[in-house]
Amino acid sequence: MHIGNRPIGPSHQPFVIAEMSGNHNQSLERALQIVEAAARSGAHALKIQTYTADTMTLDLDQGEFFISDDKSLWQGTSLYKLYQQAHTPWEWHKPIFDRCRELGMIGFSTPFDSTSVDFLETLDVPCYKIASFENIDLPLIRKVAATGKPMIVSTGMASVAELDDTVRAARAAGCNDIVLLKCTSSYPATPKNTNIRTIPHLRELFGCEVGLSDHTMGTGVAVASVALGASVIEKHFTLCRADGGVDSAFSLEPAEMEALVVETERAWQALGEISYGVTDAEKKSLQFRRSIYIARDVVAGEVLTSENLRCVRPGLGLPPKYYETLLGRKVNRDVKMGTPMSWDLLG
């Protein structure tokens, strides 16, 4: 499959998505700076989110609409105010996507309701992302799938049965290109709770591309996921965590994003194929193996012993596996110290 002009799959470098989310801190100038920093870091795509506070929740400051969990990054605010702070104004979308195109990146978004899909279609986005909290919203899944564009779905909290409903709904509605991202919906997530062994299982169960939407700190989990078949990596991205922002605590800074791009590509290159024996790159190193050498001058008829025959580097003599066989045999000529042992030296 392709997203924009980039092929996606195990035969290609992992597709790295920088998620801006609300890290623009309600500044278009900062949002565009984030796009530019993501491009410099080597990210292949930049993603934003398309919603308003009114399309997400009700304007209430009490009960379940207020975040009272003292372990939450957003404790002490209402859902409505959080989404007001985090949302990307719709009039910013075009300049953000335009800047992405200018810099050679793919720009796209996560829609959270049908109106946001309609809006994003007017901007001709190349693909769509479904957030973990919306992966059971089958009407939204069908709406996005009907565009015929690739769909990337985070799997946070979803059971196998729920994911089966999602994938079936997407395919039935016209989406042929689906990527499922293993995701842990805690902020930040811990490596221990990430369970990336699920990634190859997702590929096996649903026959689609797979990857990781990663909320852990650092890049280790994302790099490890490549070894398990992740072909898409999504990480939240900011200019500087110290600047604050709704997602800044678990977002990568530019130098970290650059390292992620480099190290995931290295991990992918290292996978290679099942291989034994000498590679082309190793041929010059064969000479540095141990082999059997004459270790001191010997004369014709002299018996080979542990004193005059040794296994040393380099590797131009007979292999060490013949050492015991050679002990006690006689040489047929005078041989100088440092001569590689060969069968034609035997009497």
Side-chain angles (χ1 to χ4, degrees), residues 86-108:
H87 90 286
T88 302
W90 289 22
E91 61 271 22
W92 293 6
H93 283 50
K94 186 177 187 302
I96 288 172
F97 292 155
D98 286 347
R99 187 63 57 86
C100 286
R101 281 189 286 270
E102 290 168 8
L103 298 172
M105 275 198 308
I106 294 168
F108 68 105

Side-chain angles (χ1 to χ4, degrees), residues 39 170 214 261 271 303 311 333 339 343:
D214 184 21
V261 174
L271 292 176
V303 173
C311 296
R333 69 192 82 162
T339 301
W343 296 115

Side-chain angles (χ1 to χ4, degrees), residues 86-141:
H87 90 286
T88 302
W90 289 22
E91 61 271 22
W92 293 6
H93 283 50
K94 186 177 187 302
I96 288 172
F97 292 155
D98 286 347
R99 187 63 57 86
C100 286
R101 281 189 286 270
E102 290 168 8
L103 298 172
M105 275 198 308
I106 294 168
F108 68 105
S109 187
T110 299
F112 287 83
D113 73 327
S114 62
T115 65
S116 53
V117 178
D118 292 337
F119 171 67
L120 289 168
E121 278 297 282
T122 70
L123 300 177
D124 195 27
V125 293
C127 63
Y128 286 93
K129 168 74 190 297
I130 301 296
S132 288
F133 293 85
E134 275 64 43
N135 62 30
I136 59 170
D137 186 347
L138 298 188
L140 177 62
I141 299 295

Side-chain angles (χ1 to χ4, degrees), residues 135 138 141-142 145 151 153 160-175 178 180 205-206:
N135 62 30
L138 298 188
I141 299 295
R142 295 186 187 101
M151 182 188 305
V153 183
V160 170
E162 288 169 335
L163 291 176
D164 187 60
D165 287 342
T166 297
V167 172
R168 287 178 184 272
R171 287 174 171 158
C175 182
I178 300 171
L180 296 178
L205 281 180
F206 297 106

Side-chain angles (χ1 to χ4, degrees), residues 37 41 50 54 84 111 121 138 150 156 184 194 236 238 277 286 324 329:
S41 75
T50 307
D54 289 308
Q84 275 188 321
E121 278 297 282
L138 298 188
T184 302
T194 303
H236 285 243
T238 187
L286 282 174
E324 287 83 2
R329 302 285 296 272

